[in-house]
């Protein structure tokens, strides 16, 4: 970028590369060119014309010399601050770069949160099953993912108890809850001001939306019979309980970017302070 001042004008200007739309034309033409291989030869012909036009126009803008345009320079007020000094986080004198967040939750916090949240979600799902006619109904719907043709299962079959489906649903529920609990343990320190809003509202709505878009492929039977209102309520119950359990756990310091010699406790001249002489 070459900066120049216009001596004849009252306001200085700076020369910048001129904007061009030819790269967009080239990209669109290339898209049509390859799309025509699957649709029609006419589409490829239009794409080829646009590719040639885009290349020619783009080359004319940059060759033999790049085209520039003059942009007026506006005076900007200097940025000022009321702080008299910069506040720095001090972990250890050997650390020059701090890893944020400084404190995180241990893995056990995510495990505890996931397990307690799974109990809350299971209770709400069981309540929905009782209102629907059987406590085993939501359990069988969840376990139907292992069936080769789940849409052929009758309602009487879904309302009855089946040990194999109960074990499958329990494993799926516990493993998923543990994974989400571990995710909470990682995310919640990043949002210290409103952890319950993230864990109890934002996250449940996000993965409920994700399941809404993919459940028809993962579990067609559950997608056909699911009550999304109760499902979202169950997810919110899980999120609130798991979030409360996680945020009540004791945090541990983050492993900072210390040199290996410092982390290993090895004396390294220039890195660690020299130990005082024992004889003195």
């Amino acid at each position: 970028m070459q900066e120049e001042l216009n001596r004849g004008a009252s306001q200085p200007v700076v020369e910048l590369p001129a904007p061009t739309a030819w790269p967009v034309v080239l990209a669109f033409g290339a898209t049509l060119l390859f799309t025509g291989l699957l649709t029609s030869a006419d589409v490829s012909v239009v794409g080829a014309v646009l590719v040639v036009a885009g290349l020619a126009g783009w080359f004319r803008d940059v060759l033999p010399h790049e085209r520039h345009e003059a942009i007026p320079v506006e005076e900007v007020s200097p940025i000022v601050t009321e702080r008299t000094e910069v506040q720095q986080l001090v972990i250890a004198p050997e650390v020059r770069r701090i890893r944020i967040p400084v404190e995180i939750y241990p893995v056990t916090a995510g495990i505890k949160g996931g397990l307690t949240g799974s109990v809350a979600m299971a209770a709400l799902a069981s309540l929905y099953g009782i209102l629907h006619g059987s406590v085993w109904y939501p359990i069988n719907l969840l376990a139907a993912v292992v069936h080769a043709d789940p849409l052929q299962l009758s309602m009487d079959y879904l309302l009855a108890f089946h040990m194999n489906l109960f074990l499958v649903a329990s494993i799926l529920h516990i493993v998923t809850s543990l994974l989400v609990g571990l995710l909470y343990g990682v995310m919640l320190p990043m949002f210290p001001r409103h952890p319950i809003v993230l864990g109890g509202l934002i996250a449940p709505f996000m993965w409920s939306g994700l399941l809404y878009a993919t459940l028809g492929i993962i579990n067609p039977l559950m997608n056909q019979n699911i009550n999304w209102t109760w499902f979202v309520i169950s997810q919110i119950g899980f999120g609130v309980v798991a979030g409360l359990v996680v945020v009540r756990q004791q945090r541990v310091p983050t492993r900072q970017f210390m040199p290996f010699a410092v982390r290993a406790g090895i004396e390294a001249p220039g890195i660690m302070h020299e130990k005082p002489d024992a004889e003195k």
Side-chain angles (χ1 to χ4, degrees):
M1 183 180 64
Q2 180 183 2
E3 183 177 352
E4 295 183 354
L5 294 179
N6 189 353
R7 304 299 181 182
S10 59
Q11 188 176 15
V13 296
V14 60
E15 286 192 354
L16 297 176
T20 176
W22 291 116
V24 178
V25 176
L26 174 61
F28 182 63
T31 303
L32 292 181
L33 181 63
F34 289 102
T35 302
L37 300 177
L38 301 176
T39 57
S40 172
D42 296 336
V43 177
S44 294
V45 172
V46 175
V49 172
L50 292 177
V51 167
V52 174
L55 288 173
W58 196 359
F59 287 163
R60 289 181 61 186
D61 285 345
V62 297
L63 296 175
H65 301 287
E66 186 176 4
R67 188 163 61 92
H68 289 76
E69 65 178 6
I71 304 297
V73 178
E74 299 180 358
E75 295 185 1
V76 180
S77 301
I79 301 176
V80 296
T81 178
E82 296 180 355
R83 296 182 178 179
T84 57
E85 60 182 7
V86 179
Q87 184 178 3
Q88 298 180 351
L89 295 175
V90 179
I91 300 299
E94 298 84 3
V95 178
R96 298 182 180 179
R97 182 178 180 184
I98 305 300
R99 178 182 292 180
I100 303 298
V102 179
E103 294 181 338
I104 59 175
Y105 295 107
V107 176
T108 54
I111 295 176
K112 293 177 182 178
L115 291 177
T116 52
S118 67
V119 174
M121 183 167 59
L124 292 172
S126 300
L127 178 60
Y128 165 73
I130 293 174
L131 297 177
H132 196 78
S134 174
V135 69
W136 309 114
Y137 178 68
I139 298 175
N140 294 332
L141 281 181
L142 177 61
V145 68
V146 300
H147 279 269
D149 193 3
L151 296 178
Q152 299 299 323
L153 299 179
S154 63
M155 182 58 67
D156 293 336
Y157 184 86
L158 294 176
L159 296 178
F161 171 74
H162 306 281
M163 178 58 71
N164 56 341
L165 297 184
F166 176 77
L167 293 177
V168 170
S170 299
I171 294 174
L172 291 175
H173 180 64
I174 293 175
V175 171
T176 305
S177 299
L178 286 175
L179 293 177
V180 177
L182 293 174
L183 183 62
Y184 272 35
V186 175
M187 291 193 311
L188 293 183
M190 303 179 185
F191 302 88
R193 294 186 178 181
H194 307 286
I196 302 304
V197 175
L198 172 68
L201 294 177
I202 298 178
F205 277 105
M206 289 181 62
W207 67 61
S208 295
L210 178 63
L211 286 175
Y212 181 82
T214 59
L215 192 59
I217 301 175
I218 300 174
N219 192 336
L221 180 63
M222 187 175 181
N223 182 63
Q224 188 177 18
N225 296 275
I226 191 172
N227 186 311
W228 285 105
T229 302
W230 270 97
F231 181 82
V232 173
I233 292 175
S234 300
Q235 303 306 311
I236 293 176
F238 171 89
V240 171
V241 173
L244 287 174
V245 172
V246 170
V247 298
R248 291 177 182 272
Q249 304 302 310
Q250 184 68 30
R251 296 190 184 188
V252 295
T254 306
R255 193 176 186 85
Q256 298 295 327
F257 294 98
M258 294 184 179
F260 175 77
V262 177
R263 291 185 277 113
I266 303 174
E267 292 187 1
I271 297 179
M272 294 183 63
H273 295 292
E274 295 183 1
K275 295 182 180 180
D277 192 351
E279 297 179 359
K280 296 181 180 180

